[in-house]
C-alpha cells in the first residue's frame, strides 16, 4: 500500500500521506518549519477578512510574451510593484468560475518582479498541475478565486502574500512575484459522494472501532488491550458509488488516524488532502465516496509504531491535458 499516515507540522497534529503532491506551485507546506511566523497561507487561515485583490489595475505591470513553442517570458517595468494582490485578465474564458477552496488545474510560470527571471514553470514539460486553493500562498488562494476556466491571468503577489521575508529556493527573501496562469479546470470538492456509500459491515481488528455517519468526520478508537497489527490491511468500511480511482488520478480525501493506541488526529477541520498516483494499491480500484480503514504494522527499520487511519475518498481527478 502506498498510502501511509505520518505526523506533519503542516497540519499541526493532523495526518497527511507520505507521497504528497509533487507540484512546484507556491504551496504553504514547503515552509512548515517557519509557518507560524512567515507563511502567508498560515496567517490567512487565522485572518478574519480576506486580503484586498485588485482586479482592475491601473498601474504599469510587466508584460508576458509567449514564443512559438508556447513558453512565456516576462518584460520588466520601471514602476514600483503593487502592495496588494493584483490580477489582470490577459485572455477571458467563458468557463466555470473558480470559488474559494476549489481544486484547480493550471499551467503557470513564475517570475521575479525585479529582473524578470523565471523561477518556475509548468509550460516547460507540458504537464499542468493541480492543487487546492487552501494549500497555496494567499496570492494564489485569493487571486485565482474569481477567475474562470479558460482565463489567462497575470497575478502579482507582494511578499506579504507570497513567501514573506523567507528565501525559498531561487526566490530571494522579500520578493514580489509575477505569475502567468492558465485556468484549465476547477472543481468544488464536497462530501456529497460520501453520503451515498453503502456500509459493508466489515469485520475490524480486535480492539479497533470506527464510528460516525458517512459524510461526517469519523471517530477512530483503540481499546486499551488492542493488540498491535503484524500485517498491512485495507478494509472497506463503506462502498462508494463514484468513479473508480485509477493510478493516474490525483486522489482527494479526508483522513483520521494515529499511532496504535494513541490519540488520533484529523484533516477534517483543515483542508482535504491530495496524493498523486491514485494513492497506491490501497485506493486504486476503489470508488469515490468509499470509506477505508488502513492498518500498518510497526516498522522496526524506521522505528515507526503501528498505525491505523480512516480514509474518506472525496474525489478522483484525472490528469489535466
Amino acid at each position: 500500500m502506498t498510502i501511509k499516515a505520518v505526523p506533519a507540522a503542516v497540519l499541526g497534529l493532523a495526518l497527511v500521506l507520505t507521497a504528497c503532491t509533487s507540484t512546484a506551485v507556491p504551496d504553504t507546506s514547503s515552509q512548515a518549519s517557519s509557518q507560524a511566523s512567515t507563511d502567508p497561507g498560515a496567517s490567512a487561515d487565522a485572518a478574519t477578512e480576506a486580503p484586498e485583490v485588485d482586479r482592475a489595475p491601473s498601474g504599469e505591470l510587466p508584460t508576458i510574451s509567449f514564443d512559438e513553442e508556447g513558453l512565456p517570458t516576462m518584460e520588466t517595468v520601471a514602476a514600483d510593484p503593487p502592495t496588494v494582490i493584483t490580477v489582470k485578465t490577459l485572455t477571458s474564458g467563458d468557463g466555470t468560475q473558480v470559488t474559494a477552496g476549489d481544486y484547480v488545474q493550471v499551467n503557470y510560470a513564475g517570475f521575479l518582479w525585479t529582473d524578470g527571471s523565471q523561477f518556475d514553470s509548468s509550460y516547460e514539460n507540458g504537464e499542468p498541475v493541480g492543487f487546492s486553493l487552501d494549500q497555496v500562498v494567499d496570492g494564489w488562494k485569493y487571486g485565482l478565486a474569481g477567475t474562470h476556466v479558460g482565463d489567462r491571468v497575470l497575478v502579482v503577489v507582494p511578499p506579504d502574500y507570497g513567501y514573506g521575508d523567507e528565501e525559498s529556493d531561487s526566490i530571494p527573501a522579500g520578493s514580489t512575484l509575477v505569475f502567468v496562469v492558465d485556468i484549465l479546470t476547477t472543481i468544488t470538492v464536497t462530501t456529497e459522494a460520501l453520503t451515498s456509500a453503502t456500509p459493508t459491515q466489515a469485520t475490524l481488528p480486535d480492539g479497533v472501532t470506527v464510528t460516525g455517519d458517512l459524510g461526517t468526520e469519523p471517530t477512530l478508537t483503540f481499546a486499551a488491550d488492542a493488540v498491535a497489527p503484524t500485517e498491512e490491511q485495507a478494509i472497506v468500511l463503506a462502498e462508494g458509488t463514484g468513479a473508480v480511482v485509477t493510478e493516474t488520478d490525483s486522489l482527494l480525501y479526508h483522513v483520521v488516524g494515529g499511532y496504535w493506541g494513541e490519540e488520533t488526529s484529523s484533516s477534517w477541520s483543515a483542508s482535504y488532502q491530495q496524493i498523486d498516483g491514485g494513492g497506491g494499491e490501497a485506493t486504486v480500484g476503489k470508488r469515490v465516496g468509499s470509506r477505508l480503514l488502513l492498518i500498518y504494522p510497526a516498522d522496526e527499520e524506521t522505528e515507526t509504531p503501528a498505525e491505523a487511519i480512516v480514509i474518506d475518498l472525496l474525489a478522483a481527478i484525472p490528469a489535466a491535458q
Side-chain angles (χ1 to χ4, degrees):
M1 293 188 294
T2 299
I3 291 180
K4 188 174 175 68
V6 294
V10 69
L11 287 178
L13 294 178
L15 305 173
V16 295
L17 304 186
T18 54
C20 294
T21 176
S22 59
T23 60
V25 297
D27 64 295
T28 60
S29 61
S30 64
Q31 298 178 311
S33 62
S34 58
Q35 179 168 308
S37 61
T38 62
D39 190 308
S43 63
D45 290 340
T48 56
E49 295 182 2
E52 177 184 353
V53 179
D54 183 0
R55 299 188 184 277
S58 57
E60 189 176 9
L61 297 177
T63 300
I64 303 293
S65 301
F66 284 79
D67 63 17
E68 294 180 353
E69 297 180 350
L71 302 179
T73 56
M74 184 189 113
E75 181 180 342
T76 62
V77 294
D80 291 334
T83 58
V84 300
I85 301 167
T86 301
V87 180
K88 179 180 179 181
T89 302
L90 305 178
T91 303
S92 295
D94 58 3
T96 304
Q97 181 172 319
V98 178
T99 59
D102 276 6
Y103 178 90
V104 297
Q105 291 176 322
V106 306
N107 264 321
Y108 76 99
F111 307 88
L112 299 180
W113 176 282
T114 51
D115 61 8
S117 59
Q118 179 179 293
F119 58 83
D120 201 5
S121 176
S122 68
Y123 295 100
E124 303 291 340
N125 57 20
E127 296 182 1
V129 298
F131 51 88
S132 164
L133 289 185
D134 286 333
Q135 296 170 337
V136 290
V137 295
D138 281 1
W140 280 45
K141 177 177 181 175
Y142 296 103
L144 296 187
T147 62
H148 293 79
V149 171
D151 282 357
R152 170 171 288 172
V153 294
L154 178 74
V155 183
V156 181
V157 180
D160 285 349
Y161 306 107
Y163 292 107
D165 293 329
E166 293 293 313
E167 181 178 348
S168 179
D169 296 327
S170 58
I171 302 173
S175 292
T176 295
L177 310 178
V178 180
F179 295 93
V180 58
V181 185
D182 290 334
I183 310 298
L184 306 177
T185 305
T186 188
I187 298 170
T188 300
V189 181
T190 71
T191 59
E192 182 178 354
L194 306 178
T195 61
S196 59
T198 301
T200 63
Q201 309 304 324
T203 300
L204 275 59
D206 291 341
V208 177
T209 58
V210 179
T211 57
D213 294 335
L214 298 176
T216 65
E217 180 177 2
T219 298
L220 170 66
T221 55
F222 303 96
D225 59 351
V227 178
T230 57
E231 61 180 21
E232 293 184 353
Q233 297 182 64
I235 302 170
V236 179
L237 302 179
E239 181 71 37
T241 60
V244 174
V245 179
T246 75
E247 61 184 9
T248 60
D249 289 338
S250 289
L251 179 64
L252 309 184
Y253 62 94
H254 270 309
V255 56
V256 172
Y259 293 136
W260 199 265
E262 299 183 9
E263 292 185 4
T264 60
S265 301
S266 173
S267 70
W268 281 77
S269 61
S271 173
Y272 57 83
Q273 303 299 294
Q274 173 187 348
I275 185 172
D276 294 331
E281 64 183 48
T283 47
V284 169
K286 304 298 191 297
R287 289 189 175 276
V288 169
S290 296
R291 172 172 287 179
L292 312 177
L293 172 64
L294 306 184
I295 303 293
Y296 298 92
D299 188 328
E300 294 183 359
E301 182 176 348
T302 61
E303 298 183 350
T304 303
E307 299 170 84
I309 63 176
V310 180
I311 296 282
D312 283 283
L313 308 186
L314 299 173
I317 313 299
Q321 303 297 319

